[in-house]
Amino acid sequence: MIRRKSIPVDVGGVRVGGEAPVVVQSMTNTDTADIPETIEQVHRLAAAGSELVRITVNNKEAAKAVPAIIEGLDSRGVNVPIIGDFHYNGHVLLTEYPECARLLAKYRINPGNTGTRSRDKNFVTIIEQAIKWDKPVRIGVNWGSLDQQLLAERMDCNNELPEPKSAKEVMMDTMIESAMRSTALAEEVGLPSDKIIVSCKLSGVQDLIEAYSRLSGLCEYPLHLGLTEAGMGNKGVVASTAALSVLLQKGIGETIRVSLTPMPNGDRTEEVRVCQQILQSMGIRNFIPQVAACPGCGRTKSTYFQELADEIHNYIVEMMPIWREVYPGVEDMNVAVMGCVVNGPGESKHANIGISLPGTFEEPKAPVYIDGEHHSTLTGDHIGETFRKMLDDYVVKNYGQKKSVAGNA
């Protein structure tokens, strides 16, 4: 796929746009003023693979906490850029707490939430702080908090037309106008174009696709993709995947987030894994070896292949922090754990390493294929243990050499 041309932006050492890979980001849901809890969640998100992490900076306590949070992350060796999310009072907090302004890697501004009477003045103040501290900004328009003054003006103009547009069409036009108007104002104040990222978020799949398809043709700023309020569970995952996949396939989007609503005390890192799986499933980036496994049918009454597939997947997840450092390129590996003779051997041959377990009434043996060739046939009570050892050996043999070559270069 051909990606749209975009201006590269440096966010705390992470490159967004240009020729850089699509960047995965996430956001904490802790009270930012709770320093230990926020540090812990940022650490977990970064460990899961979030390359940028956004935190809420909504009051003086949160702004005061930012230096301690970043110091705490540094002491843990967590090197992930922290983005400040500002609404309503960002112009005050960034001005009154210069260490917060200095240490954040980027500021997120919602043009609809910088005030009504003084919206431009407050917006300009934030931009001036970004210029002072040499920080990029994301100008993030959101349909749930659209600039009401601008929307009212556009509704009035629309009502005077011979054939007025629908309210939804006017809202879409206003969102895009708000984004473009704000970027123009930011550059007019003096913020360079390579310090600007834009988003235009809605919660409907088709609406999001339309908004970003239009926006991508109007500017070369990097675009941050994501459904706003995607929802819980399967709904949030499916809707986000549907919307982001269409846009990414069009070459639109330089950084993404999947905004899932977690269960109470749920795992916030799920949104990171969903982002990664979207990119990996589309062949855009690889993050972890993929395990192909069949869904099972009447030929596979035994649950052993399911248990082994789950065991191998969990083992890979457990080992990736080590493998990623020691065996570069291992994230490109494909593994197959199949359940019967119908597709088992063929799918296993397509993988780097695969095993075809016996289905119901099949001979109790499990052929293993490595790089398309039959390697051996496993039998007995220790098939899983033996296959995992073969997986380890494959990683060492095929990816350990790459590090040696790189180290001698």
Side-chain angles (χ1 to χ4, degrees), residues 277-354:
Q277 193 58 57
I278 290 171
L279 294 174
Q280 186 143 353
S281 295
M282 295 188 68
I284 295 172
R285 287 187 68 181
N286 288 338
F287 298 92
I288 188 171
Q290 298 288 274
V291 179
C294 63
C297 65
R299 290 175 173 269
T300 54
K301 292 183 180 180
S302 169
T303 61
Y304 183 65
F305 84 94
Q306 298 162 321
E307 294 162 2
L308 182 58
D310 185 58
E311 176 188 331
I312 294 299
H313 171 75
N314 291 335
Y315 179 67
I316 289 172
V317 170
E318 177 188 342
M319 295 302 296
M320 272 309 291
I322 299 171
W323 284 357
R324 191 178 293 114
E325 294 298 322
V326 180
Y327 304 113
V330 70
E331 63 273 6
D332 299 329
M333 181 174 65
N334 289 305
V335 181
V337 180
M338 302 300 291
C340 80
V341 74
V342 173
N343 291 320
E347 189 72 42
S348 296
K349 290 177 183 178
H350 291 315
N352 295 113
I353 177 169

Side-chain angles (χ1 to χ4, degrees), residues 232-266:
M232 300 183 72
N234 287 339
K235 185 269 181 186
V237 172
V238 172
S240 294
T241 302
L244 269 58
S245 296
V246 171
L247 290 167
L248 290 167
Q249 186 65 29
K250 291 183 175 184
I252 298 171
E254 285 69 44
T255 175
I256 66 171
R257 181 191 172 205
V258 170
S259 303
L260 297 179
T261 304
M263 295 295 291
N265 301 314

Side-chain angles (χ1 to χ4, degrees), residues 178-250:
S178 177
M180 292 295 91
R181 179 183 181 281
S182 297
T183 57
L185 179 56
E187 289 205 52
E188 182 182 325
V189 173
L191 188 68
S193 59
D194 64 356
K195 295 290 185 183
I196 298 173
I197 296 171
V198 177
S199 65
C200 205
K201 290 189 173 184
L202 304 93
S203 57
V205 171
Q206 297 294 349
D207 295 331
L208 192 84
I209 293 169
E210 180 184 348
Y212 276 96
S213 296
R214 289 174 58 182
L215 192 60
S216 68
L218 297 174
C219 68
E220 292 186 353
Y221 306 114
L223 299 180
H224 168 66
L225 303 186
L227 280 177
T228 185
E229 293 91 40
M232 300 183 72
N234 287 339
K235 185 269 181 186
V237 172
V238 172
S240 294
T241 302
L244 269 58
S245 296
V246 171
L247 290 167
L248 290 167
Q249 186 65 29
K250 291 183 175 184

Side-chain angles (χ1 to χ4, degrees), residues 52-99:
L52 300 173
V53 177
R54 181 159 46 111
I55 64 174
T56 297
V57 186
N58 58 329
N59 53 39
K60 294 181 178 182
E61 290 71 26
K64 289 178 183 177
V66 168
I69 291 168
I70 292 176
E71 181 181 354
L73 291 168
D74 288 343
S75 69
R76 290 191 180 196
V78 181
N79 183 27
V80 62
I82 303 298
I83 299 162
D85 192 59
F86 294 97
H87 298 270
Y88 309 110
N89 58 356
H91 59 292
V92 174
L93 297 177
L94 287 168
T95 303
E96 292 187 357
Y97 296 92
E99 278 301 280

